[in-house]
Amino acid sequence: MDKIPYKIYLTEKELPDTWFNVRAAMKELPESFINPKTLKPCMADDLRPVFCEELIAQELNVTDRHITIPGEIMDFYKMYRPSPLVRAYNLEKELDTPAKIYYKFEGNNTSGSHKLNSAAAQVYYAKKQGLTHLTTETGAGQWGTALAMASAFFGLDLTVFMVKVSAQQKPHRKALIQTYGGKVIASPSDTTEVGRKILAENPHTGGSLGCAISEAVEVALKNDKCRYVLGSVLNHVVLHQSIIGMETKTALEKYDIKPDIIIGCAGGGSNLGGLISPFIADKIEGKNNIEFIAVEPASCPSLTRGKYAYDFGDTGKMTPLMKMYTLGSGFMPSPNHSGGLRYHGMSPVVSKLYHDGYMTARSVEQTKVFEAAKIFARTEGTLPAPESSHAIRAAIDEAIKCRETGESKNIVFGCTGTGYFDMTAYTAYNEGTMADYIPTDEDLQKGFASLPNVN
Ligand SMILES: *Cc1c(COP(=O)(O)O)cnc(C)c1O
């Protein structure tokens, strides 16, 4: 066997041309979505005013394991895919570990994250349906950027409601979205009814994701050529992100590498769900015994301390109810939290797999996350996103365990993106002003109190 290269690339011929629908492989499916008004399971008709046709079909598809990626999306993917699977030789050396560490790097595109994988698909299907306009919200800005890139490519108009404080704190994100032709509106704004109402009550508010979602949904509902799109959590987003897992599996098989541990950071669960999808299917069939680890912030611990319950997907309580691990849609992480992954819930697929014991989860404090980020940046050369650094932290911890036990496990983790727009957080860490915050049980109780009473 040849020495494993620093970067394992796939040739264009080896690129997977299907997404992997993990629900078709699950023994028990996640619970159906529920319409909060009727309290009945959601059907395609309930979703149609907000989402595109093909995405609804994918959302509800629990039977087809492989779903063909349309040629136009493949053409878009080829601009930045395959992403490399990197053998972290330098990190291994630094840690003096017998473990072999690999990471799948999704930061090699201008949006700086894996979010482009789903943005491309969602915009393509919207275009195919004859829509002309999309709306969304963005907090940190990666999703807004990815969607602006895809909208520019396929020729759709895009309006991004960006949480006002983020728009002020991250002017370069805003400029990037605008460069690709996206319209950025600081939320709350006077362009929607809900925005005007919020501003009347609280003129100086810095805004919130919930409010931005409400504005974006209002615009979509008022225009039948317009739909709202989401960058995580939903089944079809996890499906599109399975391109990460499909490529990783092909690359590992090329060198006959059998992973012992696969690690991903978990915000809404889309990169993690996508990375593990094809491997989980094999695990369910008894073909591997991989340990899957979800890593989340200690300040927003939905899997490790949340409840498995029906909840709204958004703070504005406009989405269908989903059964998932959640801290309650009213939960807000502490203001000093800067590592991203601040979503209150978790993808229903990832939640179900975790609930049924196919994977484990752990939470890490943000100073530990940035410590890992710096070790990675110095040894592997890439400045990781704070979100990705949650997975890096767990990979380093597992590699250190191997040093202690002498085991040479194969550790694979998802490195979801780069951190160039997160320098305020890096500065706080470098200057020693970053603090950790772990919510108390009473803090969490307040979020749980916002859970709807549905079983
Ligand atoms: C959005 C984002 C995440 C978290 O989202 P998931 O849906 O949990 O994957 C992780 N890393 C980066 C770089 C992101 O932009």
Side-chain angles (χ1 to χ4, degrees):
M1 174 59 70
D2 298 341
K3 182 173 184 285
I4 290 162
Y6 182 75
K7 283 183 181 167
I8 305 177
Y9 274 112
L10 301 179
T11 63
E12 225 174 276
K13 262 203 178 133
E14 291 167 325
L15 281 185
D17 56 5
T18 58
W19 291 301
F20 192 87
N21 180 13
V22 69
R23 284 165 297 156
M26 287 167 72
K27 288 205 172 119
E28 272 182 47
L29 289 171
E31 312 286 334
S32 307
F33 293 177
I34 285 182
N35 180 326
K37 297 209 178 77
T38 62
L39 296 185
K40 297 220 169 76
C42 262
M43 301 296 170
D45 284 345
D46 298 304
L47 303 172
R48 212 159 269 141
V50 188
F51 297 111
C52 320
E53 287 296 327
E54 189 63 37
L55 297 175
I56 295 170
Q58 292 179 351
E59 191 62 30
L60 302 176
N61 185 334
V62 294
T63 47
D64 300 319
R65 275 191 189 217
H66 287 276
I67 295 179
T68 303
I69 305 173
E72 291 90 336
I73 300 177
M74 282 303 287
D75 288 343
F76 186 91
Y77 279 176
K78 281 175 196 165
M79 290 192 290
Y80 68 100
R81 309 204 67 84
S83 70
L85 181 71
V86 184
R87 171 79 184 268
Y89 281 113
N90 301 327
L91 179 62
E92 289 169 17
K93 202 163 144 203
E94 167 79 12
L95 300 174
D96 189 21
T97 175
K100 297 177 181 69
I101 308 174
Y102 300 86
Y103 62 93
K104 181 71 169 163
F105 181 53
E106 291 292 319
N108 273 339
N109 69 74
T110 297
S111 82
S113 84
H114 65 284
K115 292 203 172 64
L116 198 52
N117 300 332
S118 185
Q122 297 198 43
V123 174
Y124 166 76
Y125 288 121
K127 171 88 179 178
K128 204 173 144 213
Q129 191 181 323
L131 303 174
T132 58
H133 196 152
L134 295 172
T135 64
T136 196
E137 82 290 342
T138 200
Q142 288 100 322
W143 172 241
T145 312
L147 206 53
M149 290 174 71
S151 298
F153 187 83
F154 289 108
L156 260 74
D157 290 335
L158 171 70
T159 305
V160 179
F161 286 91
M162 189 165 187
V163 179
K164 194 179 277 174
V165 281
S166 303
Q168 287 161 353
Q169 284 166 2
K170 297 193 171 185
H172 293 137
R173 269 284 173 206
K174 183 174 156 190
L176 189 50
I177 296 171
Q178 288 168 332
T179 301
Y180 279 93
K183 183 170 166 194
V184 180
I185 300 179
S187 167
S189 74
D190 60 7
T191 65
T192 62
E193 272 169 46
V194 53
R196 285 190 291 273
K197 183 161 169 273
I198 293 167
L199 282 174
E201 284 161 10
N202 195 350
H204 302 294
T205 176
S208 68
L209 267 183
C211 165
I213 293 174
S214 306
E215 289 201 271
V217 172
E218 181 184 316
V219 172
L221 286 174
K222 281 192 175 153
N223 176 348
D224 69 334
K225 289 285 181 207
C226 180
R227 292 292 184 281
Y228 167 70
V229 285
L230 256 178
S232 185
V233 188
L234 298 176
N235 297 326
H236 64 264
V237 184
V238 175
L239 174 74
H240 304 149
Q241 296 300 351
S242 71
I243 188 72
I244 305 173
M246 293 292 280
E247 283 184 9
T248 303
K249 196 157 185 277
T250 309
L252 290 172
E253 284 169 359
K254 204 167 157 176
Y255 286 87
D256 200 24
I257 303 158
K258 298 201 165 50
D260 296 295
I261 301 177
I262 300 184
I263 301 168
C265 66
S270 72
N271 88 82
L272 170 69
L275 171 64
I276 68 178
S277 281
F279 299 96
I280 279 272
D282 284 350
K283 179 159 178 168
I284 290 170
E285 285 162 13
K287 291 186 198 154
N288 71 41
N289 193 23
I290 300 171
E291 185 184 356
F292 299 99
I293 307 175
V295 192
E296 60 185 13
S299 55
C300 191
S302 42
L303 285 171
T304 51
R305 294 174 70 198
K307 286 200 195 315
Y308 190 47
Y310 270 105
D311 195 9
F312 291 97
D314 65 313
T315 328
K317 303 196 172 185
M318 304 188 61
T319 66
L321 297 171
M322 299 181 270
K323 180 103 181 243
M324 60 182 174
Y325 278 85
T326 177
L327 298 166
S329 61
F331 178 83
M332 289 278 169
S334 144
N336 79 13
H337 171 72
S338 47
L341 310 176
R342 48 176 59 244
Y343 185 62
H344 67 273
M346 184 58 60
S347 133
V349 176
V350 169
S351 292
K352 178 70 178 161
L353 289 168
Y354 174 65
H355 195 69
D356 289 350
Y358 289 106
M359 54 191 282
T360 62
R362 65 181 68 163
S363 72
V364 286
E365 291 169 36
Q366 62 178 354
T367 52
K368 289 281 182 199
V369 168
F370 279 84
E371 180 188 55
K374 276 183 84 163
I375 295 171
F376 184 80
R378 291 202 313 267
T379 54
E380 290 296 316
T382 295
L383 182 82
E387 292 92 338
S388 321
S389 306
H390 288 73
I392 298 174
R393 176 77 258 172
I396 289 178
D397 290 344
E398 290 303 312
I400 290 173
K401 268 191 224 161
C402 287
R403 178 173 75 206
E404 285 154 8
T405 61
E407 286 171 289
S408 65
K409 289 185 179 173
N410 288 322
I411 301 172
V412 177
F413 72 88
C415 186
T416 49
T418 46
Y420 305 117
F421 290 97
D422 299 284
M423 297 324 292
T424 314
Y426 272 97
T427 302
Y429 179 73
N430 292 335
E431 292 179 349
T433 55
M434 178 178 281
D436 289 321
Y437 176 76
I438 302 179
T440 63
D441 287 343
E442 288 88 74
D443 293 335
L444 294 186
Q445 214 46 54
K446 283 181 217 148
F448 295 144
S450 70
L451 285 174
N453 202 356
V454 178
N455 292 304

Short mmCIF file of all heavy atoms in Angstrom, two decimals, residues 81-129:
data_model
loop_
_atom_site.label_atom_id
_atom_site.label_comp_id
_atom_site.label_asym_id
_atom_site.label_seq_id
_atom_site.Cartn_x
_atom_site.Cartn_y
_atom_site.Cartn_z
N ARG A 81 -15.72 21.36 -5.68
CA ARG A 81 -15.63 19.99 -5.20
C ARG A 81 -14.82 19.16 -6.19
O ARG A 81 -14.76 19.53 -7.37
CB ARG A 81 -17.02 19.36 -5.02
CG ARG A 81 -18.00 20.19 -4.21
CD ARG A 81 -19.08 19.33 -3.59
NE ARG A 81 -18.52 18.46 -2.58
CZ ARG A 81 -18.28 18.80 -1.32
NH1 ARG A 81 -18.59 20.00 -0.90
NH2 ARG A 81 -17.73 17.98 -0.47
N PRO A 82 -14.29 18.02 -5.81
CA PRO A 82 -14.36 17.44 -4.48
C PRO A 82 -13.58 18.29 -3.49
O PRO A 82 -12.62 18.96 -3.86
CB PRO A 82 -13.67 16.08 -4.66
CG PRO A 82 -12.70 16.31 -5.77
CD PRO A 82 -13.40 17.25 -6.69
N SER A 83 -14.02 18.24 -2.23
CA SER A 83 -13.21 18.87 -1.19
C SER A 83 -12.18 17.82 -0.74
O SER A 83 -12.43 16.62 -0.84
CB SER A 83 -14.09 19.32 -0.03
OG SER A 83 -14.58 18.22 0.67
N PRO A 84 -11.02 18.26 -0.31
CA PRO A 84 -9.99 17.28 0.04
C PRO A 84 -10.29 16.57 1.36
O PRO A 84 -10.88 17.15 2.26
CB PRO A 84 -8.73 18.14 0.19
CG PRO A 84 -9.23 19.50 0.55
CD PRO A 84 -10.57 19.65 -0.14
N LEU A 85 -9.89 15.30 1.44
CA LEU A 85 -9.81 14.62 2.73
C LEU A 85 -8.33 14.69 3.10
O LEU A 85 -7.48 14.16 2.37
CB LEU A 85 -10.27 13.17 2.61
CG LEU A 85 -10.24 12.39 3.93
CD1 LEU A 85 -11.35 12.86 4.87
CD2 LEU A 85 -10.39 10.89 3.69
N VAL A 86 -8.04 15.38 4.20
CA VAL A 86 -6.63 15.65 4.52
C VAL A 86 -6.18 14.73 5.65
O VAL A 86 -6.89 14.55 6.63
CB VAL A 86 -6.46 17.13 4.97
CG1 VAL A 86 -4.98 17.44 5.21
CG2 VAL A 86 -7.05 18.08 3.94
N ARG A 87 -5.01 14.14 5.47
CA ARG A 87 -4.39 13.41 6.59
C ARG A 87 -3.59 14.42 7.39
O ARG A 87 -2.64 15.02 6.87
CB ARG A 87 -3.45 12.33 6.02
CG ARG A 87 -2.59 11.64 7.07
CD ARG A 87 -3.34 10.59 7.84
NE ARG A 87 -2.49 10.03 8.88
CZ ARG A 87 -1.72 8.96 8.75
NH1 ARG A 87 -1.73 8.29 7.61
NH2 ARG A 87 -0.96 8.54 9.74
N ALA A 88 -3.98 14.59 8.65
CA ALA A 88 -3.39 15.66 9.47
C ALA A 88 -2.06 15.21 10.07
O ALA A 88 -1.88 15.16 11.28
CB ALA A 88 -4.37 16.08 10.56
N TYR A 89 -1.11 14.91 9.16
CA TYR A 89 0.20 14.43 9.63
C TYR A 89 0.84 15.38 10.63
O TYR A 89 1.44 14.96 11.62
CB TYR A 89 1.15 14.28 8.43
CG TYR A 89 0.94 13.03 7.60
CD1 TYR A 89 0.48 13.11 6.28
CD2 TYR A 89 1.24 11.77 8.13
CE1 TYR A 89 0.31 11.96 5.51
CE2 TYR A 89 1.07 10.62 7.36
CZ TYR A 89 0.61 10.72 6.05
OH TYR A 89 0.44 9.59 5.30
N ASN A 90 0.72 16.69 10.36
CA ASN A 90 1.41 17.67 11.22
C ASN A 90 0.76 17.75 12.60
O ASN A 90 1.44 17.89 13.61
CB ASN A 90 1.41 19.04 10.55
CG ASN A 90 2.10 19.00 9.20
OD1 ASN A 90 3.04 18.22 9.01
ND2 ASN A 90 1.62 19.78 8.26
N LEU A 91 -0.56 17.66 12.62
CA LEU A 91 -1.26 17.67 13.90
C LEU A 91 -0.92 16.40 14.70
O LEU A 91 -0.70 16.46 15.91
CB LEU A 91 -2.78 17.78 13.66
CG LEU A 91 -3.68 17.77 14.89
CD1 LEU A 91 -3.38 18.97 15.80
CD2 LEU A 91 -5.16 17.80 14.49
N GLU A 92 -0.87 15.26 14.01
CA GLU A 92 -0.51 14.00 14.71
C GLU A 92 0.85 14.12 15.38
O GLU A 92 1.05 13.70 16.52
CB GLU A 92 -0.45 12.84 13.70
CG GLU A 92 -1.80 12.41 13.15
CD GLU A 92 -1.66 11.44 11.97
OE1 GLU A 92 -0.56 10.86 11.78
OE2 GLU A 92 -2.64 11.28 11.23
N LYS A 93 1.79 14.73 14.62
CA LYS A 93 3.15 14.88 15.13
C LYS A 93 3.16 15.78 16.37
O LYS A 93 3.77 15.45 17.38
CB LYS A 93 4.01 15.49 14.02
CG LYS A 93 5.48 15.23 14.16
CD LYS A 93 6.16 15.53 12.82
CE LYS A 93 7.52 16.14 13.07
NZ LYS A 93 7.99 16.91 11.93
N GLU A 94 2.44 16.89 16.27
CA GLU A 94 2.35 17.83 17.38
C GLU A 94 1.80 17.14 18.64
O GLU A 94 2.24 17.38 19.75
CB GLU A 94 1.45 19.01 16.98
CG GLU A 94 1.00 19.93 18.10
CD GLU A 94 2.06 20.93 18.50
OE1 GLU A 94 3.06 21.06 17.76
OE2 GLU A 94 1.90 21.55 19.58
N LEU A 95 0.81 16.26 18.43
CA LEU A 95 0.16 15.60 19.57
C LEU A 95 0.91 14.35 20.00
O LEU A 95 0.56 13.73 20.99
CB LEU A 95 -1.29 15.24 19.21
CG LEU A 95 -2.21 16.40 18.84
CD1 LEU A 95 -3.57 15.87 18.37
CD2 LEU A 95 -2.40 17.35 20.01
N ASP A 96 1.91 13.94 19.21
CA ASP A 96 2.70 12.76 19.51
C ASP A 96 1.80 11.54 19.74
O ASP A 96 1.91 10.84 20.73
CB ASP A 96 3.58 13.04 20.75
CG ASP A 96 4.59 11.93 20.98
OD1 ASP A 96 4.90 11.20 20.02
OD2 ASP A 96 5.05 11.79 22.14
N THR A 97 0.87 11.37 18.80
CA THR A 97 -0.14 10.32 18.98
C THR A 97 0.01 9.22 17.94
O THR A 97 0.37 9.50 16.79
CB THR A 97 -1.56 10.93 18.86
OG1 THR A 97 -2.53 9.86 18.91
CG2 THR A 97 -1.77 11.68 17.54
N PRO A 98 -0.28 7.97 18.33
CA PRO A 98 -0.28 6.89 17.33
C PRO A 98 -1.57 6.90 16.48
O PRO A 98 -1.67 6.16 15.50
CB PRO A 98 -0.21 5.62 18.18
CG PRO A 98 -0.80 6.00 19.49
CD PRO A 98 -0.50 7.46 19.69
N ALA A 99 -2.53 7.75 16.86
CA ALA A 99 -3.79 7.84 16.09
C ALA A 99 -3.50 8.42 14.73
O ALA A 99 -2.53 9.17 14.54
CB ALA A 99 -4.79 8.72 16.83
N LYS A 100 -4.34 8.07 13.77
CA LYS A 100 -4.25 8.66 12.43
C LYS A 100 -5.47 9.56 12.26
O LYS A 100 -6.60 9.10 12.38
CB LYS A 100 -4.21 7.57 11.37
CG LYS A 100 -2.99 6.69 11.53
CD LYS A 100 -2.96 5.56 10.54
CE LYS A 100 -1.73 4.69 10.76
NZ LYS A 100 -1.81 3.91 12.04
N ILE A 101 -5.18 10.84 12.01
CA ILE A 101 -6.26 11.82 11.98
C ILE A 101 -6.50 12.29 10.55
O ILE A 101 -5.55 12.63 9.84
CB ILE A 101 -5.92 13.05 12.87
CG1 ILE A 101 -5.51 12.60 14.28
CG2 ILE A 101 -7.10 14.01 12.93
CD1 ILE A 101 -5.02 13.74 15.17
N TYR A 102 -7.76 12.30 10.15
CA TYR A 102 -8.15 12.78 8.82
C TYR A 102 -9.23 13.83 8.99
O TYR A 102 -10.08 13.71 9.86
CB TYR A 102 -8.74 11.64 7.97
CG TYR A 102 -7.80 10.50 7.73
CD1 TYR A 102 -7.69 9.46 8.66
CD2 TYR A 102 -7.03 10.44 6.57
CE1 TYR A 102 -6.82 8.41 8.45
CE2 TYR A 102 -6.16 9.38 6.35
CZ TYR A 102 -6.05 8.37 7.29
OH TYR A 102 -5.20 7.33 7.08
N TYR A 103 -9.21 14.86 8.13
CA TYR A 103 -10.35 15.78 8.15
C TYR A 103 -10.81 16.10 6.75
O TYR A 103 -10.04 16.22 5.82
CB TYR A 103 -10.04 17.06 8.95
CG TYR A 103 -8.91 17.92 8.43
CD1 TYR A 103 -9.16 18.97 7.55
CD2 TYR A 103 -7.61 17.71 8.86
CE1 TYR A 103 -8.12 19.78 7.11
CE2 TYR A 103 -6.57 18.51 8.41
CZ TYR A 103 -6.83 19.54 7.53
OH TYR A 103 -5.81 20.33 7.08
N LYS A 104 -12.13 16.20 6.63
CA LYS A 104 -12.75 16.57 5.37
C LYS A 104 -12.94 18.07 5.41
O LYS A 104 -13.67 18.59 6.26
CB LYS A 104 -14.10 15.84 5.25
CG LYS A 104 -14.87 16.10 3.99
CD LYS A 104 -14.24 15.46 2.78
CE LYS A 104 -15.18 15.51 1.57
NZ LYS A 104 -14.43 15.26 0.32
N PHE A 105 -12.27 18.79 4.50
CA PHE A 105 -12.22 20.25 4.59
C PHE A 105 -13.20 20.91 3.62
O PHE A 105 -13.05 20.82 2.41
CB PHE A 105 -10.80 20.74 4.33
CG PHE A 105 -10.67 22.24 4.45
CD1 PHE A 105 -11.11 22.90 5.59
CD2 PHE A 105 -10.14 22.99 3.42
CE1 PHE A 105 -11.02 24.28 5.70
CE2 PHE A 105 -10.03 24.37 3.51
CZ PHE A 105 -10.48 25.01 4.65
N GLU A 106 -14.19 21.59 4.18
CA GLU A 106 -15.26 22.21 3.37
C GLU A 106 -15.08 23.73 3.22
O GLU A 106 -16.00 24.42 2.77
CB GLU A 106 -16.63 21.91 3.99
CG GLU A 106 -17.03 20.44 3.90
CD GLU A 106 -17.31 20.00 2.46
OE1 GLU A 106 -17.93 20.75 1.70
OE2 GLU A 106 -16.90 18.87 2.11
N GLY A 107 -13.91 24.24 3.60
CA GLY A 107 -13.73 25.70 3.58
C GLY A 107 -13.14 26.26 2.30
O GLY A 107 -12.90 27.46 2.21
N ASN A 108 -12.91 25.38 1.30
CA ASN A 108 -12.27 25.84 0.05
C ASN A 108 -13.22 26.50 -0.94
O ASN A 108 -13.16 26.22 -2.12
CB ASN A 108 -11.63 24.64 -0.66
CG ASN A 108 -10.23 24.39 -0.15
OD1 ASN A 108 -9.60 25.29 0.41
ND2 ASN A 108 -9.74 23.18 -0.35
N ASN A 109 -14.11 27.32 -0.47
CA ASN A 109 -14.95 28.08 -1.41
C ASN A 109 -15.17 29.44 -0.77
O ASN A 109 -14.97 29.61 0.43
CB ASN A 109 -16.27 27.34 -1.69
CG ASN A 109 -17.18 27.31 -0.49
OD1 ASN A 109 -17.79 28.32 -0.15
ND2 ASN A 109 -17.27 26.17 0.18
N THR A 110 -15.60 30.41 -1.56
CA THR A 110 -15.65 31.79 -1.06
C THR A 110 -16.61 31.97 0.12
O THR A 110 -16.38 32.82 0.98
CB THR A 110 -15.98 32.75 -2.21
OG1 THR A 110 -14.91 32.66 -3.15
CG2 THR A 110 -16.12 34.19 -1.76
N SER A 111 -17.68 31.17 0.18
CA SER A 111 -18.59 31.31 1.33
C SER A 111 -17.90 30.83 2.60
O SER A 111 -18.32 31.16 3.70
CB SER A 111 -19.89 30.54 1.10
OG SER A 111 -19.72 29.17 1.40
N GLY A 112 -16.84 30.04 2.44
CA GLY A 112 -16.04 29.61 3.59
C GLY A 112 -16.64 28.49 4.40
O GLY A 112 -16.16 28.18 5.49
N SER A 113 -17.69 27.82 3.88
CA SER A 113 -18.25 26.71 4.65
C SER A 113 -18.97 25.71 3.75
O SER A 113 -19.13 25.94 2.55
CB SER A 113 -19.22 27.21 5.72
OG SER A 113 -20.51 27.41 5.16
N HIS A 114 -19.42 24.63 4.37
CA HIS A 114 -20.16 23.57 3.67
C HIS A 114 -21.54 24.06 3.21
O HIS A 114 -22.21 23.36 2.45
CB HIS A 114 -20.34 22.38 4.61
CG HIS A 114 -21.21 22.70 5.80
ND1 HIS A 114 -20.75 23.43 6.87
CD2 HIS A 114 -22.51 22.45 6.06
CE1 HIS A 114 -21.72 23.61 7.74
NE2 HIS A 114 -22.81 23.02 7.28
N LYS A 115 -22.01 25.21 3.69
CA LYS A 115 -23.40 25.61 3.41
C LYS A 115 -23.69 25.74 1.92
O LYS A 115 -24.83 25.62 1.49
CB LYS A 115 -23.72 26.91 4.14
CG LYS A 115 -23.76 26.69 5.66
CD LYS A 115 -24.59 27.73 6.37
CE LYS A 115 -24.77 27.38 7.84
NZ LYS A 115 -23.49 27.40 8.58
N LEU A 116 -22.64 25.96 1.12
CA LEU A 116 -22.83 26.09 -0.32
C LEU A 116 -23.42 24.80 -0.94
O LEU A 116 -24.12 24.86 -1.95
CB LEU A 116 -21.48 26.43 -0.97
CG LEU A 116 -21.47 27.01 -2.38
CD1 LEU A 116 -22.39 28.22 -2.50
CD2 LEU A 116 -20.04 27.40 -2.77
N ASN A 117 -23.14 23.65 -0.33
CA ASN A 117 -23.64 22.37 -0.88
C ASN A 117 -25.16 22.35 -0.96
O ASN A 117 -25.74 21.81 -1.90
CB ASN A 117 -23.18 21.19 -0.01
CG ASN A 117 -21.68 21.08 0.09
OD1 ASN A 117 -20.97 21.50 -0.83
ND2 ASN A 117 -21.18 20.53 1.18
N SER A 118 -25.82 22.92 0.05
CA SER A 118 -27.28 22.93 0.04
C SER A 118 -27.80 24.17 -0.66
O SER A 118 -28.83 24.12 -1.34
CB SER A 118 -27.84 22.84 1.47
OG SER A 118 -29.25 22.74 1.42
N ALA A 119 -27.09 25.29 -0.55
CA ALA A 119 -27.53 26.52 -1.22
C ALA A 119 -27.67 26.26 -2.72
O ALA A 119 -28.67 26.64 -3.35
CB ALA A 119 -26.54 27.65 -0.95
N ALA A 120 -26.67 25.60 -3.31
CA ALA A 120 -26.68 25.33 -4.75
C ALA A 120 -27.92 24.53 -5.12
O ALA A 120 -28.62 24.84 -6.09
CB ALA A 120 -25.42 24.56 -5.15
N ALA A 121 -28.22 23.50 -4.34
CA ALA A 121 -29.35 22.63 -4.64
C ALA A 121 -30.67 23.39 -4.47
O ALA A 121 -31.55 23.34 -5.34
CB ALA A 121 -29.32 21.40 -3.74
N GLN A 122 -30.79 24.13 -3.41
CA GLN A 122 -32.06 24.82 -3.14
C GLN A 122 -32.35 25.89 -4.20
O GLN A 122 -33.49 26.03 -4.65
CB GLN A 122 -32.03 25.44 -1.74
CG GLN A 122 -31.92 24.38 -0.64
CD GLN A 122 -32.32 24.92 0.72
OE1 GLN A 122 -33.29 25.63 0.84
NE2 GLN A 122 -31.57 24.57 1.75
N VAL A 123 -31.33 26.62 -4.60
CA VAL A 123 -31.55 27.66 -5.61
C VAL A 123 -31.88 27.02 -6.96
O VAL A 123 -32.78 27.47 -7.68
CB VAL A 123 -30.31 28.59 -5.74
CG1 VAL A 123 -30.50 29.57 -6.89
CG2 VAL A 123 -30.07 29.33 -4.44
N TYR A 124 -31.18 25.94 -7.29
CA TYR A 124 -31.45 25.26 -8.56
C TYR A 124 -32.93 24.81 -8.65
O TYR A 124 -33.60 25.05 -9.64
CB TYR A 124 -30.52 24.05 -8.71
CG TYR A 124 -30.96 23.12 -9.82
CD1 TYR A 124 -30.74 23.45 -11.16
CD2 TYR A 124 -31.64 21.93 -9.52
CE1 TYR A 124 -31.18 22.63 -12.17
CE2 TYR A 124 -32.09 21.10 -10.52
CZ TYR A 124 -31.86 21.46 -11.85
OH TYR A 124 -32.32 20.64 -12.84
N TYR A 125 -33.42 24.18 -7.59
CA TYR A 125 -34.81 23.69 -7.63
C TYR A 125 -35.82 24.85 -7.67
O TYR A 125 -36.87 24.74 -8.29
CB TYR A 125 -35.10 22.77 -6.44
CG TYR A 125 -34.41 21.43 -6.55
CD1 TYR A 125 -33.51 21.00 -5.58
CD2 TYR A 125 -34.65 20.58 -7.64
CE1 TYR A 125 -32.87 19.77 -5.67
CE2 TYR A 125 -34.01 19.35 -7.74
CZ TYR A 125 -33.13 18.95 -6.76
OH TYR A 125 -32.50 17.74 -6.85
N ALA A 126 -35.49 25.95 -7.02
CA ALA A 126 -36.37 27.12 -7.05
C ALA A 126 -36.45 27.66 -8.48
O ALA A 126 -37.53 27.97 -8.99
CB ALA A 126 -35.84 28.19 -6.10
N LYS A 127 -35.31 27.72 -9.12
CA LYS A 127 -35.24 28.22 -10.49
C LYS A 127 -36.05 27.32 -11.43
O LYS A 127 -36.83 27.78 -12.26
CB LYS A 127 -33.76 28.23 -10.90
CG LYS A 127 -33.49 28.50 -12.35
CD LYS A 127 -33.38 29.98 -12.58
CE LYS A 127 -33.08 30.27 -14.04
NZ LYS A 127 -33.02 31.69 -14.29
N LYS A 128 -35.88 26.00 -11.22
CA LYS A 128 -36.55 25.03 -12.07
C LYS A 128 -38.07 25.15 -11.95
O LYS A 128 -38.81 24.93 -12.90
CB LYS A 128 -36.11 23.63 -11.64
CG LYS A 128 -36.23 22.61 -12.73
CD LYS A 128 -35.62 21.28 -12.30
CE LYS A 128 -36.42 20.14 -12.86
NZ LYS A 128 -36.44 18.98 -11.97
N GLN A 129 -38.53 25.54 -10.77
CA GLN A 129 -39.95 25.68 -10.53
C GLN A 129 -40.49 27.01 -11.08
O GLN A 129 -41.68 27.28 -10.99
CB GLN A 129 -40.18 25.60 -9.00
CG GLN A 129 -41.63 25.45 -8.61
CD GLN A 129 -41.78 25.40 -7.10
OE1 GLN A 129 -40.94 24.81 -6.41
NE2 GLN A 129 -42.83 26.01 -6.57
#
